[in-house]
Amino acid sequence: MSERRTVALVTLGCARNEVDSEELAGRLAADGWQLVENASDAEVAVVNTCGFVEAAKKDSVDALLEANDLKGHGRTQAVVAVGCMAERYGKELAESLPEADAVLGFDDYADISDRLQTILNGGVHASHTPRDRRKLLPISPADRQGAADVALPGHAQDTPPEDLPEGVAPASGPRAPLRIRLGKSPVASVKLASGCDRRCSFCAIPSFRGSFISRRPSDVLGETRWLAEQGVKEVMLVSENNTSYGKDLGDIRLLETLLPELAEVDGIERVRVSYLQPAEMRPGLIEVLTSTPKIAPYFDLSFQHSSAGVLRSMRRFGDTDSFLQLLETIRAQAPQAGVRSNFIVGFPGESEADLAELERFLTGARLDAIGVFGYSDEDGTEAVTYDKKLDADVIAERLAHISRLAEELTSQRAEERLGETLQVLVESVGSEEDDEDAVGRAAHQAPETDGQVIFTTGQGLTVGRMVEAKVIGTEGVDLVAEPLGCHEEAGR
């Protein structure tokens, strides 16, 4: 083993997992580990898995197997699984996937350095037995803040070392998570809360992420200030349900208070809120999101379907007309507002009429980005027990049909933005030699999930700069835009 231990983190899944990886990286760096980008250059490859749906689980297994193939052909000596899939299946995953040298749950995160050292030394750490994490916190949200013995990734429950390496949080207080940035993007996510109290019949996330618990506003502000010091220009607030923020702190409208404070952090150019529940949207939150400087008028609304019958089976609320009314309310206050959502087709009992109702909603909603998923049974969910399951070929047919419609509609929505002037955060600047485009994202485009803005020229652009640009073309969901004023500045 080299004098300085090396570790690489491979992250799958959502932005919440990305935050967790940076926390693990911060803990490891604080304990003397050297972080490397490629698993082939690391003695230990840590794969942060996703356990959401079957496709994501397959990707996680593939990543673990790919990392395992490196053993014996370079520096890699051990492969470790962490994250949602590891937490959800524990011993079962370890037994079915012996290629992983260890399967670590959330309770292991605080001791991640010791766990990896044990494994690297040839020792064995017993995989955990999964448990319903909803039962670890009090039923009453008001009683959850004092539950210090429950592992909550991203909530900074332990005291950090006094001497931290450069670039490792906390830079602004003892309650910030030990975190180090794993990339150079001008955009970073900040965890607003963990867990979920909703009981959607198709979703297993609450069982392995636990009940909803908010981070304190001072902690969120402190971490945002630290990120700004690291060069971050846009922060994206993430959790399983941001609209519930503050309910366990005695103020369900706490997000409306926190957002303007985050927008005032020096160096931050834009604040974006993700994961909003339509049934929990309120006038005050819509107003703050549509009228506060530096707050993106961006609505990541979890509709899932629009047929009232299907939604009730999903244990959700709403229907086509109420959802369209919500969108009308938003756009009345911010005509350029961005809206994205995900939908499940082929849910048990979904009829042709239900599918037609979903089509009616999608056609009238003018969404900027649409994710479509075919229903699949998920272990431990109520929907597994439902009758009237649709055949796999019917689900596949409906998935293909709605996906084609979504692609057509989002392309049309992009064309509606022709002539608009947008504020675009530059994320990369290509070189003419490599024939690479300069690209960025406008307020209606979140990283990874939505489209992007392709600049007609990279002259005068730098990564992390907020640029005014006019939309002059489209490429599917992507926009082609001409920077305004950059040529003059570049020539000065």
Side-chain angles (χ1 to χ4, degrees):
M1 188 176 71
S2 63
E3 183 176 343
R4 195 164 185 215
R5 305 159 294 179
T6 53
V7 60
L9 287 108
V10 179
T11 306
L12 296 96
C14 65
R16 300 185 295 276
N17 256 17
E18 294 173 5
V19 175
D20 289 349
S21 284
E22 294 197 345
E23 179 188 352
L24 290 172
R27 291 180 180 276
L28 291 166
D31 203 44
W33 290 76
Q34 179 182 350
L35 302 169
V36 296
E37 185 174 348
N38 298 316
S40 58
D41 298 326
E43 291 160 297
V44 184
V46 177
V47 180
N48 192 348
T49 60
C50 178
F52 182 38
V53 293
E54 283 301 322
K57 287 183 281 188
K58 182 182 183 301
D59 289 343
S60 296
V61 170
D62 289 345
L64 287 163
L65 293 174
E66 183 178 342
N68 180 70
D69 289 342
L70 297 172
K71 290 192 291 188
H73 300 284
R75 301 193 64 178
T76 310
Q77 300 176 35
V79 176
V80 175
V82 299
C84 291
M85 188 177 179
E87 174 64 37
R88 184 176 181 182
Y89 294 104
K91 288 183 177 180
E92 180 184 342
L93 177 62
E95 292 169 359
S96 63
L97 195 70
E99 291 85 354
D101 296 282
V103 175
L104 305 181
F106 298 148
D107 293 335
D108 293 304
Y109 282 20
D111 302 308
I112 188 66
S113 179
D114 290 342
R115 299 286 187 266
L116 297 192
Q117 187 62 64
T118 296
I119 295 157
L120 200 55
N121 290 343
V124 176
H125 180 72
S127 300
H128 71 288
T129 300
R131 52 184 174 167
D132 190 339
R133 297 192 73 87
R134 291 172 293 192
K135 299 178 180 179
L136 302 183
L137 290 169
I139 294 176
S140 171
D143 296 333
R144 294 174 186 167
Q145 287 292 323
D149 58 337
V150 178
L152 298 168
H155 283 244
Q157 296 151 286
D158 52 339
T159 303
E162 292 185 3
D163 298 321
L164 292 174
E166 183 179 354
V168 178
S172 54
R175 289 182 57 86
L178 287 174
R179 178 176 180 178
I180 192 169
R181 300 220 62 210
L182 292 176
K184 297 180 180 179
S185 170
V187 182
S189 296
V190 174
K191 190 170 287 190
L192 193 63
S194 293
C196 184
D197 287 341
R198 301 184 72 87
R199 294 295 179 263
C200 301
S201 63
F202 57 84
C203 183
I205 289 176
S207 67
F208 56 84
R209 276 290 183 179
S211 298
F212 185 88
I213 182 167
S214 305
R215 292 182 67 197
R216 294 189 177 277
S218 57
D219 299 345
V220 178
L221 278 164
E223 189 171 358
T224 299
R225 293 188 184 103
W226 175 79
L227 287 168
E229 292 169 3
Q230 306 303 305
V232 169
K233 299 300 180 183
E234 176 181 323
V235 293
M236 184 166 70
L237 302 180
V238 299
S239 76
E240 279 73 22
N241 178 10
N242 282 332
T243 33
S244 283
Y245 180 69
K247 73 175 186 179
D248 52 322
L249 295 172
D251 185 359
I252 191 59
R253 295 176 177 81
L254 194 55
L255 185 56
E256 288 93 308
T257 303
L258 176 61
L259 285 172
E261 295 183 60
L262 291 170
E264 293 176 0
V265 172
D266 287 343
I268 296 299
E269 295 291 337
R270 186 158 65 204
V271 178
R272 184 184 304 276
V273 184
S274 62
Y275 307 114
L276 301 169
Q277 287 291 340
E280 297 181 29
M281 291 301 294
R282 46 197 180 266
L285 180 56
I286 294 173
E287 182 179 0
V288 170
L289 288 170
T290 55
S291 64
T292 307
K294 295 189 177 181
I295 301 297
Y298 177 79
F299 293 81
D300 177 10
L301 293 162
S302 178
F303 289 123
Q304 300 300 342
H305 211 283
S306 73
S307 165
V310 173
L311 287 167
R312 299 308 174 269
S313 295
M314 290 178 169
R315 295 208 179 278
R316 296 177 66 84
F317 305 93
D319 55 36
T320 296
D321 292 331
S322 65
F323 289 165
L324 290 175
Q325 180 59 53
L326 173 60
L327 296 179
E328 184 178 333
T329 299
I330 290 169
R331 289 175 174 138
Q333 298 183 49
Q336 287 187 328
V339 186
R340 81 161 331 270
S341 191
N342 293 326
F343 299 88
I344 298 173
V345 296
F347 193 77
E350 180 190 62
S351 65
E352 292 285 353
D354 294 325
L355 196 69
E357 188 69 0
L358 176 58
E359 290 186 45
R360 182 168 79 88
F361 171 69
L362 291 174
T363 303
R366 297 169 54 232
L367 303 179
D368 292 277
I370 300 171
V372 187
F373 301 88
Y375 171 80
S376 62
D377 282 340
E378 289 298 320
D379 299 333
T381 63
E382 181 184 349
V384 169
T385 68
Y386 284 5
D387 297 326
K388 299 182 180 179
K389 297 281 179 63
L390 276 63
D391 291 339
D393 57 345
V394 173
I395 295 175
E397 181 182 340
R398 293 184 180 185
L399 174 61
H401 172 65
I402 296 298
S403 295
R404 287 193 298 270
L405 177 63
E407 183 176 356
E408 178 184 343
L409 292 172
T410 51
S411 295
Q412 290 176 5
R413 176 64 181 134
E415 291 173 359
E416 290 179 19
R417 292 190 180 274
L418 287 170
E420 285 188 2
T421 299
L422 308 173
Q423 296 297 316
V424 183
L425 179 64
V426 182
E427 294 193 352
S428 66
V429 178
S431 62
E432 293 184 4
E433 294 80 6
D434 297 330
D435 195 28
E436 295 177 346
D437 293 315
V439 300
R441 296 188 189 274
H444 70 280
Q445 299 167 319
E448 305 300 332
T449 58
D450 305 338
Q452 61 186 9
V453 173
I454 304 168
F455 292 105
T456 55
T457 177
Q459 185 178 3
L461 301 180
T462 55
V463 173
R465 179 181 174 186
M466 193 70 76
V467 174
E468 191 174 58
K470 183 177 180 179
V471 181
I472 62 170
T474 66
E475 295 182 6
V477 72
D478 296 333
L479 304 179
V480 179
E482 180 181 11
L484 303 178
C486 292
H487 303 299
E488 292 81 354
E489 291 185 27
R492 288 177 185 174

